[in-house]
């Protein structure tokens, strides 16, 4: 097995171990239900609809480099997106508000 294959296997194993450590917290975030419109509105304002970090750095119209979306590195990214979606659904279905 080559060094790069072993390194990739090592990184994958490490990432899975770290990911498993966060599983109980993910379940807590996934279990959140909304009963208060103020909390739902606050979460919709705090959690961005798209990744705010992705950027193209340009000088005089020429792209120097690209900063990739770092949100995917956040172990809770999918839970936060789901939480924001549930807050939006609560506001739309229960409160009649569309943000």
């Amino acid at each position: 097995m080559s060094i790069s294959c072993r390194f990739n296997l090592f990184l994958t194993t490490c990432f899975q171990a770290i990911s498993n450590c966060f599983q109980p917290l993910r379940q807590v975030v996934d279990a959140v239900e909304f009963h208060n419109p103020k909390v739902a509105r606050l979460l919709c304002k705090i959690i961005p609809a798209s990744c705010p970090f992705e950027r193209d750095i340009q000088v005089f119209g020429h792209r120097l480099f690209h900063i990739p979306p770092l949100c995917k590195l956040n172990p809770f990214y999918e839970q936060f997106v789901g939480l924001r979606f549930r807050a939006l659904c609560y506001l739309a279905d229960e409160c009649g508000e569309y943000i």
Side-chain angles (χ1 to χ4, degrees):
M1 185 181 284
S2 71
I3 292 174
S4 64
C5 288
R6 279 187 268 182
F7 184 69
N8 286 340
L9 181 62
F10 172 76
L11 287 179
T12 303
T13 305
C14 289
F15 182 73
Q16 288 174 348
I18 291 169
S19 180
N20 290 339
C21 292
F22 292 125
Q23 192 59 30
L25 289 172
R26 284 189 186 121
Q27 291 172 348
V28 169
V29 174
D30 284 338
V32 171
E33 294 182 8
F34 294 97
H35 303 287
N36 186 339
K38 289 182 181 180
V39 173
R41 276 189 228 105
L42 177 67
L43 285 175
C44 288
K45 289 180 184 177
I46 291 174
I47 301 171
S50 62
C51 187
F53 302 112
E54 184 175 23
R55 298 276 187 266
D56 283 329
I57 306 302
Q58 296 183 353
V59 175
F60 302 117
H62 296 291
R63 186 171 111 177
L64 293 179
F65 57 93
H66 176 76
I67 300 172
L70 302 176
C71 296
K72 299 287 183 174
L73 298 177
N74 182 346
F76 297 102
Y77 174 74
E78 298 203 10
Q79 281 69 31
F80 289 148
V81 169
L83 186 65
R84 183 177 194 279
F85 179 73
R86 288 194 308 277
L88 287 169
C89 289
Y90 169 77
L91 289 172
D93 295 342
E94 303 294 325
C95 304
E97 295 181 26
Y98 298 97
I99 295 179

